[in-house]
Amino acid sequence: GFYVRGGSADQNLILLDEAQVYNASHLLGFFSTFNSDAVKDITVYKGGMPAQYGGRLSSVLDVKMNEGNNQNYELSGGVGLISAKLNLEGPIQKNKSSFLLSGRRTYADVFVPLAKDSAIRGNKLYFYDYNAKFNYKIGEKDNIYVSGYFGRDYLKLDQQFGINWGNITGTLRWNHIFNSKLFSNTSFIY
């Protein structure tokens, strides 16, 4: 969690493509919920929040996902000491639609059974998350966007303690341009 102007972590509104994200961290706060490969833009309001965000006292963290490359296919990834990630994006129909698929997973749980101490061998510790976004240009004035996030954390300390929780979000948004001064966004959020 993060703390703004003396407020508590639950006084921050955290949005991913307009969908509210609860408990926005992995493994008790050691990792961010947001995979940097899937993020396009982040806006933080720490005072004077616009009325459209109402409902929080401390801040708003508004995260927008990448829309994917509508020209070329791109595959990227990485392997670190405790996690790996993979990102795939590209056109569904060039200049008209695109997709983004991104995922991460820690693999510390693979090494736990190798521990010499039997108390440690019974533990589990990992998280994974997936981001997906699809967009389609229907015409000159209409666009459809579908995005989703699925994340899961699993922590088990032998037979004494365990956490198994996650987040799921989904957004369906239709953008229509009436003229150069007027447009509408209609969203269905899960």
Side-chain angles (χ1 to χ4, degrees):
F2 59 98
Y3 305 90
V4 178
R5 295 184 298 123
S8 63
D10 67 340
Q11 292 177 332
N12 302 308
L13 176 62
I14 301 170
L15 301 171
L16 178 62
D17 277 353
E18 301 179 26
Q20 190 167 349
V21 178
Y22 299 96
N23 295 323
S25 66
H26 284 300
L27 297 181
L28 304 173
F30 288 105
F31 293 91
S32 170
T33 296
F34 305 112
N35 183 346
S36 59
D37 290 343
V39 173
K40 175 183 177 182
D41 184 51
I42 296 174
T43 305
V44 177
Y45 297 96
K46 57 184 180 161
M49 279 90 66
Q52 71 199 40
Y53 295 112
R56 288 298 188 269
L57 297 174
S58 291
S59 73
V60 174
L61 178 66
D62 190 2
V63 180
K64 304 290 185 205
M65 285 177 49
N66 268 333
E67 295 175 2
N69 188 332
N70 69 2
Q71 299 296 314
N72 301 305
Y73 292 99
E74 293 181 10
L75 177 66
S76 62
V79 177
L81 289 174
I82 57 173
S83 68
K85 62 183 180 176
L86 188 65
N87 189 63
L88 175 64
E89 59 184 297
I92 297 171
Q93 186 177 5
K94 273 196 173 184
N95 297 320
K96 198 165 187 165
S97 60
S98 64
F99 71 92
L100 166 82
L101 300 171
S102 190
R104 295 185 297 175
R105 188 188 192 286
T106 58
Y107 45 80
D109 59 311
V110 173
F111 300 108
V112 171
L114 303 175
K116 293 179 182 178
D117 187 349
S118 63
I120 293 174
R121 284 196 301 263
N123 298 337
K124 294 259 185 202
L125 173 69
Y126 66 89
F127 79 81
Y128 59 88
D129 57 32
Y130 304 105
N131 295 78
K133 187 163 187 177
F134 303 92
N135 65 73
Y136 185 74
K137 186 173 186 174
I138 298 171
E140 289 299 315
K141 297 184 176 192
D142 294 288
N143 290 302
I144 297 285
Y145 303 90
V146 177
S147 63
Y149 168 82
F150 178 78
R152 174 73 55 202
D153 284 62
Y154 190 77
L155 170 64
K156 183 182 124 195
L157 300 176
D158 203 21
Q159 299 298 321
Q160 301 168 5
F161 175 75
I163 296 175
N164 182 7
W165 65 275
N167 279 310
I168 299 173
T169 70
T171 303
L172 170 64
R173 182 169 57 100
W174 168 43
N175 175 268
H176 177 74
I177 300 171
F178 292 100
N179 58 47
S180 62
K181 295 181 182 181
L182 182 64
F183 71 93
S184 71
N185 275 320
T186 304
S187 298
F188 297 96
I189 298 169
Y190 173 79

